[in-house]
Amino acid sequence: MQFPLIVKPSDSAGSRGIMKIKKISQLKIALKKALKYSNEKRVIIEEFFDGQEYTIESFSHAGSTHILAITKKSKVPFTNNTVADKLETIEENTKIFKSLKNLAIKSLNSLEYYEGPAHTEILVNKKKDKKILIETSGRGGGFNLFDGLVPVASNLNIIRKTIEHSAGRVVDFSFDKRNNAILKFFTGNQGVVKEIKGFDLIKKYVTGGVKIVGESFVKKNQIVNNSVTDN
């Protein structure tokens, strides 16, 4: 493989334990960091590809895989493209939506994953227009993606449908139209949280049919660091 490389734990999430390295002398530090966040003590080393990252949220049931939302992901600057900043849905009738949908479904079928939610991440390489499967896993996307953005984008009560599916019921995942939705994270700097305000106003804010909701991941007096993981 050629540098730069990505070193990450095989069984973690939220960018925990991930590191981009540019030379062999950084490998030992990266391995130690990745192993720290791996319960099974296994590490994945893969080539780094530059490009636009997308997430595909889906649910497979009764022989069909339903695409709930596809988002274009932006990253927080100066984090080596590892920390999420914003996820914005893309239109269903676009070429990129259709190609990402097909690749995600093929990936899940090749793994013989036919039942349950899935979160797939695909990177589109800028130079060669090459689509690279980063990961796919049998879970919903974290940090308000599965339980926040997906219900808005698909008009489905996805949490209820997941429970019904787990209970062995036949579930209808069809829907008439998609909504545009954005999930935005506001990051801070290292220090102590002195005050949190404004979220009570956001919950009441509806204009032109646009609904905005928000919440804080941190608490007053909490010590926070610079952004190094999604968490």
Side-chain angles (χ1 to χ4, degrees):
M1 294 188 293
Q2 294 181 337
F3 287 95
L5 299 175
I6 291 290
V7 181
K8 62 185 181 182
S10 64
D11 55 338
S12 188
S15 298
R16 296 178 183 89
I18 189 171
M19 186 172 174
K20 176 185 175 184
I21 63 173
K22 298 179 180 180
K23 51 188 177 181
I24 193 69
S25 60
Q26 296 175 307
L27 182 59
K28 187 175 181 179
I29 297 172
L31 288 171
K32 186 176 181 180
K33 181 179 180 181
L35 287 168
K36 179 182 176 181
Y37 289 93
S38 174
N39 290 325
E40 57 182 27
K41 300 304 176 186
R42 298 181 67 183
V43 171
I44 295 172
I45 303 176
E46 58 193 11
E47 289 188 55
F48 174 84
F49 290 95
D50 186 27
Q52 178 60 57
E53 192 174 330
Y54 296 87
T55 75
I56 298 89
E57 312 306 321
S58 63
F59 207 108
S60 299
H61 178 51
S64 298
T65 296
H66 307 274
I67 303 299
L68 306 173
I70 297 182
T71 69
K72 180 179 179 180
K73 182 188 283 189
S74 303
K75 302 297 182 71
V76 176
F78 310 110
T79 61
N80 283 324
N81 288 322
T82 60
V83 181
D85 175 59
K86 181 177 71 172
L87 295 98
E88 181 176 359
T89 56
I90 62 174
E91 298 287 346
E92 185 176 16
N93 57 359
T94 58
K95 181 180 178 181
I96 186 68
F97 186 102
K98 295 173 183 176
S99 62
L100 292 172
K101 170 185 175 180
N102 292 336
L103 180 54
I105 292 174
K106 286 181 180 178
S107 302
L108 293 170
N109 288 342
S110 71
L111 294 169
E112 299 181 358
Y113 185 80
Y114 303 124
E115 295 289 338
H119 171 75
T120 305
E121 297 184 3
I122 296 173
L123 187 143
V124 179
N125 187 260
K126 293 177 180 178
K127 295 180 180 179
K128 301 179 180 179
D129 194 29
K130 185 178 181 181
K131 296 174 182 62
I132 301 154
L133 179 69
I134 299 175
E135 68 168 272
T136 186
S137 52
R139 63 176 178 89
F143 296 108
N144 281 356
L145 183 53
F146 186 72
D147 56 342
L149 183 141
V150 168
V152 174
S154 64
N155 289 305
L156 294 178
N157 186 337
I158 193 62
I159 302 300
R160 181 182 180 88
K161 289 183 180 293
T162 302
I163 294 170
E164 291 175 345
H165 176 265
S166 299
R169 299 181 185 176
V170 176
V171 186
D172 181 14
F173 285 96
S174 61
F175 50 91
D176 296 329
K177 67 181 288 288
R178 298 179 188 273
N179 294 318
N180 294 323
I182 294 175
L183 178 59
K184 167 69 178 172
F185 302 104
F186 295 95
T187 57
N189 299 317
Q190 187 174 12
V192 179
V193 179
K194 293 296 185 183
E195 188 178 14
I196 301 172
K197 62 181 180 179
F199 290 106
D200 54 331
L201 300 175
I202 289 176
K203 293 176 181 177
K204 301 174 184 178
Y205 189 85
V206 180
T207 179
V210 177
K211 183 179 180 183
I212 300 177
V213 295
E215 62 179 318
S216 176
F217 283 118
V218 298
K219 298 177 181 179
K220 191 174 180 179
N221 297 322
Q222 181 176 333
I223 298 173
V224 296
N225 295 309
N226 295 323
S227 299
V228 291
T229 69
D230 288 344
N231 189 48

